[in-house]
Structure formats: C-alpha cells, structure tokens
C-alpha cells in the first residue's frame, strides 16, 4: 500500500484539508456514475458491476493510505452480495452506492480493528443488463443506458421480427429458437460441471458432486470427466509446487546444521590457537621465542575468526531463505483460494445469465408452436388489419417479479425483461 513517509511532517491545517478532501472525493466518486432514477434512487441488484476504491486518512500519523489491494471491480452475485477480501460477503442488493460504501468502511474498521474508518467510494462501472424477448429481430441481453425507453430498447434488438410469415412466427421461428436453446443448454451444462468442481476445490474435497442431470447424457458425462481431470491436474500442480518449497526448506535446514558443525569445529580450533598464542607470549617475554612465530599465530587466529564470521553469515542467509520459502507456500495457497472464489463467482453470474436466456427462448418456442399455420396467410392477406404490438416489462424487486403493461415511451430500468408481442391481425369481415 502506498502512503506518505512516516517521518514526514504534515501541518495541522494541511491534515484537516486532506481529510476533508478525501471525504469530498469519496462522495463525488460514489455519485459520479449516471443512475437510473426510481422513487428512492438507484438501488443495486444482481449483475451490477461495481468499481470500489478505498483510502484511509490516518489522523495519528497525518498520512493517507491507499488500500490498492482491495480496489477493483466487483459483481453483485445471484445472492445479492459482493465478496471482498477482509470484508467477506457483504449485502449489496437493495442498497445505494453510498450505503454500500459506508458498509464497506465500517466492516473494514471493525474486522481489522482500525482507529480510523477507511473511506470507500462505490460507483457503477456497468449497470446490470436488460433482456429483450418476444417478436424482435435479435432477442437477447443488451447493455443498459440511463435514458433508455421501450422504443429505444426495441431499436437495439433490430426492431420487430422480420420473416416470411410477416412477423407472426411459425416453424422457422421455432427452429431458430430451438437451436439457440440447445446451445444455451450445452453452455449451462458446462457451467454446472465447472461450478461443481469449484465448490469441491473450495471445500477441499477429493470428490466432485455433480448434478444428476449431467450423468444422463454422453456429453454430460464427458464434461464431468473433463472437470475431474482438470481438478486432478490443478491439485497435482499445487502439490508439486508446495513439495518443491518443502524440499528447499529441508535442504537449507541441512545446510544450516552443517554450517553449525563447522562453526563449532572452527571455534574449537580458534580456542586452541589462542591458548597456544598466550603460552608463546609468555615465552616471548623471556626472549625464548622469535617474533616471527608470534606473528604467524596471530595471522592464523585472524583467518579462523574470518571463517567463523563467514559461516555465521551463510547460516543467517539460509534461515532467511527458509522464511521466504514458507511465505511463498502461504502465498500459493492464498492465491489458489482467491482464484477459486473469483472463478466460482463468475460461474454463478454466467449461470444466472444463461438461465434467463433459456427461459426467453423456451417462451419463444412455446409461442411459435402455439401459432396456427394459417396465421401467416392471414397476415399476408390484403383483407387483414395491421397486427397489434403489446409491450410488457418484467421487473424484479425484493426477490419478486412483476409484469406490467408498457408503452413506447416507458422508461426502462436495469435488469428489466422487455417482452414484445405481436398479436395476430384480425381479418376484416368485408
């Protein structure tokens, strides 16, 4: 984390200014993204992508700390929560960005025991998308725009469906919807298998519990086998990395023990040499030993002392390498857990998106089958009146969905499903 140097003096007036500026910036950023206006302001829900920035003004040190490790984009999951390091699962559904920012700061202060509450800013990086279904040219998911109306949403989907049956559906519409539905089923099965594997990895289990529906087809069984093989490969890779670090620590420990033995031996030799020098020194005083002998012993002692220092330095360096290897092992485990949590969150979001699309295409297939074959001829007849277009908005609030009639100028909110229905034209009696 970046911060001002601890020994840097910050005058009180500047400290107060920086603190006020931090609060002002946080409040401005939290409201910078354009929001869909509702009666109570924009509230968050599943599939909203949020951009979170966190900073802390440390009043005691007069320093500004940037919590860069927590900054980034977070997606509101199917449960309505976001998952952040240190904070954990935090409810986002039904809250405004300002309320969520305040909750993040409070959670960080409580869990980490901070004297000052970190200031968090939350802005909407990407609104949850809208979905357009029914008699449109290109049904599907589309990005939300704050100024979006039903008519603008219809233009995003290419307008009303154009076909040989004059937009009334029929066999071709059923085939198209069925093809799209089958593709989504394959995607959903892959996501179910992937989620099951991620759950097993997160819980540290050796076996993966797959949904029963995957074992009923060859494609599903292949997905299960592929995920099992992937899990085994990932586990093997982690084991090899941790084993290599463990072997390194054992090698370094052996080196430390060997150096310690050498130090003991060298120390004993040094003691003997010092005693010899001391005894010769007494003879020197009596003139019985030449100075050259004394000088040779002193040089030998100095060399022994230097070797002992070198070995002690090498021992300390090996201990540092052992500590680093232990930290690397912890980092490997933490990185793996973070990756699993992130992939699991993305798999849940993708499953939610695919499920919505599958429901949409299932409705299209039902609608196409329900239309009588003679409806195409009726629509093409010169005696038929113009088809009637109905717009409906399916909107979720507090976990419940409601369907309301809409007009072309009706505002659209994030997460809405817009259903476009073209009623069969009435045949004129004359």
């Amino acid at each position: 984390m970046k911060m001002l140097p601890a020994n840097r003096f910050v005058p009180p007036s500047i400290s107060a200014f920086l603190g006020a500026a931090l609060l002002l910036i946080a409040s401005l950023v939290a409201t910078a993204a354009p929001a869909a206006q509702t009666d109570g302001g924009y509230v968050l829900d599943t599939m909203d992508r949020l951009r979170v920035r966190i900073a802390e003004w440390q009043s005691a040190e007069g320093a500004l700390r940037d919590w860069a490790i927590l900054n980034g984009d977070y997606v509101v999951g199917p449960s309505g929560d976001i998952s952040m390091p240190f904070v954990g699962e935090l409810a986002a559904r039904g809250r405004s960005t300002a309320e969520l920012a305040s909750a993040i700061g409070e959670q960080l202060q409580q869990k980490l025991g901070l004297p000052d509450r970190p200031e968090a800013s939350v802005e909407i990086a990407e609104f949850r998308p809208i979905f357009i279904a029914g008699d449109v040219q290109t049904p599907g998911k589309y990005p939300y725009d704050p100024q979006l109306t039903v008519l603008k949403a219809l233009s995003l989907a290419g307008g009303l469906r154009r076909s040989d049956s004059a937009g009334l559906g029929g066999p071709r519409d059923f085939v198209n919807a069925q093809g799209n539905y089958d593709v989504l089923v394959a995607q959903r099965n892959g996501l179910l298998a992937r989620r099951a594997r991620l759950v097993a990895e997160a819980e540290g289990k050796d076996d993966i519990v797959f949904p029963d529906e995957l074992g009923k087809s060859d494609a599903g069984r292949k997905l299960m086998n592929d995920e099992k093989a992937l899990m085994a490969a990932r586990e093997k890779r982690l084991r090899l990395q941790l084993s290599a670090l463990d072997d390194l620590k054992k090698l370094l420990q052996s080196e430390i023990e060997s150096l310690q033995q050498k130090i003991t031996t060298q120390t004993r030799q040094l003691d003997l040499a010092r005693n010899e020098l001391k005894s010769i020194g007494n003879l020197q005083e009596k003139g019985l030993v030449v100075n050259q002998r004394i000088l040779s012993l002193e040089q030998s002692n100095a060399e022994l002392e230097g070797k002992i220092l070198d070995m002690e330095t090498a021992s300390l360096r090996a201990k540092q390498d052992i500590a680093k290897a232990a930290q690397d092992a912890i980092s490997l485990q933490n990185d793996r857990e973070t990756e699993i949590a992130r992939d699991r969150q993305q798999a849940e979001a993708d499953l939610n998106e695919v499920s919505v699309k599958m429901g949409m295409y299932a409705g299209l297939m039902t609608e196409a089958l329900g239309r009588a074959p003679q409806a195409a001829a009726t629509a093409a007849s010169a005696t038929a009146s113009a088809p009637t277009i109905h717009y409906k908005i399916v909107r979720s609030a507090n976990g419940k969905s409601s369907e309301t009639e809409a007009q072309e100028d009706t505002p659209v909110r994030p997460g809405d499903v817009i259903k476009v229905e073209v009623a069969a034209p009435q045949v004129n009696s004359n």
Side-chain angles (χ1 to χ4, degrees):
M1 299 181 185
K2 300 179 181 177
M3 64 176 68
L4 295 174
N7 59 354
R8 181 175 179 179
F9 173 74
V10 181
S13 59
I14 296 180
S15 300
F17 173 77
L18 288 175
L22 177 63
L23 292 173
L24 177 60
I25 291 172
S27 62
L28 289 176
V29 172
T31 57
Q37 297 301 318
T38 65
D39 295 340
Y42 184 76
V43 294
L44 303 174
D45 207 336
T46 300
M47 298 181 71
D48 276 329
R49 182 177 295 276
L50 308 178
R51 182 158 298 138
V52 178
R53 296 290 182 270
I54 301 173
E56 177 191 0
W57 174 252
Q58 298 177 314
S59 56
E61 292 84 4
L64 179 65
R65 175 183 293 175
D66 179 15
W67 292 61
I69 193 172
L70 298 182
N71 295 341
D73 290 358
Y74 297 85
V75 177
V76 181
S79 62
D81 300 338
I82 62 171
S83 178
M84 294 183 64
F86 302 114
V87 175
E89 298 292 331
L90 188 62
R93 176 182 292 154
R95 285 179 167 177
S96 66
T97 54
E99 291 171 342
L100 181 59
S102 178
I104 292 173
E106 291 175 357
Q107 286 293 317
L108 286 174
Q109 184 181 23
Q110 293 176 5
K111 290 197 173 184
L112 300 182
L114 302 174
D116 297 312
R117 190 182 78 177
E119 292 294 333
S121 67
V122 178
E123 60 177 317
I124 299 177
E126 182 179 342
F127 289 101
R128 53 187 180 272
I130 64 168
F131 300 89
I132 306 176
D135 293 318
V136 294
Q137 187 67 19
T138 312
K141 179 182 72 171
Y142 292 90
Y144 174 77
D145 183 284
Q147 305 299 323
L148 202 62
T149 63
V150 169
L151 183 59
K152 291 180 180 179
L154 179 61
S155 67
L156 291 177
L160 295 176
R161 187 183 331 187
R162 299 178 295 276
S163 66
D164 295 339
S165 56
L168 293 178
R172 192 175 73 173
D173 292 331
F174 177 80
V175 171
N176 290 336
Q178 185 181 40
N180 290 325
Y181 185 86
D182 291 342
V183 171
L184 291 172
V185 168
Q187 293 179 1
R188 179 175 179 272
N189 289 342
L191 289 169
L192 288 173
R194 183 185 183 192
R195 184 179 64 177
R197 187 255 302 169
L198 291 170
V199 169
E201 289 181 336
E203 297 176 355
K205 295 181 179 179
D206 296 331
D207 297 326
I208 305 176
V209 180
F210 292 102
D212 295 337
E213 59 190 276
L214 293 180
K216 297 178 181 179
S217 65
D218 292 339
R221 287 188 288 271
K222 183 178 183 303
L223 288 172
M224 294 165 59
N225 292 331
D226 290 343
E227 292 297 335
K228 289 179 180 178
L230 178 58
M231 179 175 171
R234 286 162 58 89
E235 289 291 340
K236 180 180 179 180
R237 178 185 177 189
L238 180 62
R239 284 198 306 270
L240 290 175
Q241 290 174 326
L242 293 175
S243 177
L245 290 173
D246 190 56
D247 291 342
L248 176 60
K249 289 192 292 184
K250 291 179 181 178
L251 179 63
L252 291 171
Q253 187 62 42
S254 299
E255 182 180 351
I256 291 173
E257 293 173 357
S258 176
L259 287 170
Q260 193 60 46
Q261 292 176 358
K262 291 181 179 180
I263 290 173
T264 301
T265 302
Q266 292 290 335
T267 302
R268 188 163 49 251
Q269 291 180 358
L270 179 60
D271 291 340
L272 293 174
R274 285 174 177 172
N275 292 334
E276 182 180 2
L277 180 60
K278 183 177 179 181
S279 62
I280 292 177
N282 295 332
L283 296 175
Q284 182 187 23
E285 293 176 356
K286 298 177 182 180
L288 300 177
V289 179
V290 295
N291 292 335
Q292 184 64 33
R293 175 62 175 165
I294 298 295
L295 180 61
S296 176
L297 286 173
E298 289 178 346
Q299 290 177 345
S300 177
N301 288 352
E303 290 177 358
L304 288 173
E305 291 174 351
K307 290 180 180 179
I308 291 174
L309 288 175
D310 290 341
M311 286 185 286
E312 289 176 344
T313 301
S315 178
L316 289 174
R317 188 179 298 111
K319 291 178 180 178
Q320 291 176 346
D321 291 340
I322 289 177
K324 183 179 182 301
Q327 184 60 45
D328 289 343
I330 295 174
S331 297
L332 277 175
Q333 293 281 18
N334 291 340
D335 291 345
R336 176 178 170 81
E337 292 174 0
T338 301
E339 178 188 2
I340 291 173
R342 184 177 60 249
D343 291 347
R344 184 176 176 182
Q345 184 182 41
Q346 185 61 49
E348 294 285 359
D350 292 343
L351 268 172
N352 184 66
E353 179 180 339
V354 168
S355 296
V356 172
K357 288 184 177 180
M358 287 177 62
M360 177 185 66
Y361 282 112
L364 289 175
M365 285 190 291
T366 302
E367 182 182 1
L369 286 176
R371 291 179 176 173
Q374 62 269 24
T378 302
S381 172
T383 61
S385 62
T388 304
I389 304 174
H390 296 283
Y391 302 105
K392 294 182 181 179
I393 293 180
V394 180
R395 181 170 296 158
S396 297
N398 300 323
K400 297 181 180 180
S401 297
S402 60
E403 184 176 290
T404 57
E405 296 286 342
Q407 305 298 323
E408 291 183 346
D409 58 350
T410 301
V412 177
R413 299 178 187 176
D416 283 351
V417 178
I418 304 171
K419 296 171 64 176
V420 181
E421 299 176 353
V422 180
Q426 300 296 322
V427 179
N428 297 329
S429 59
N430 55 355

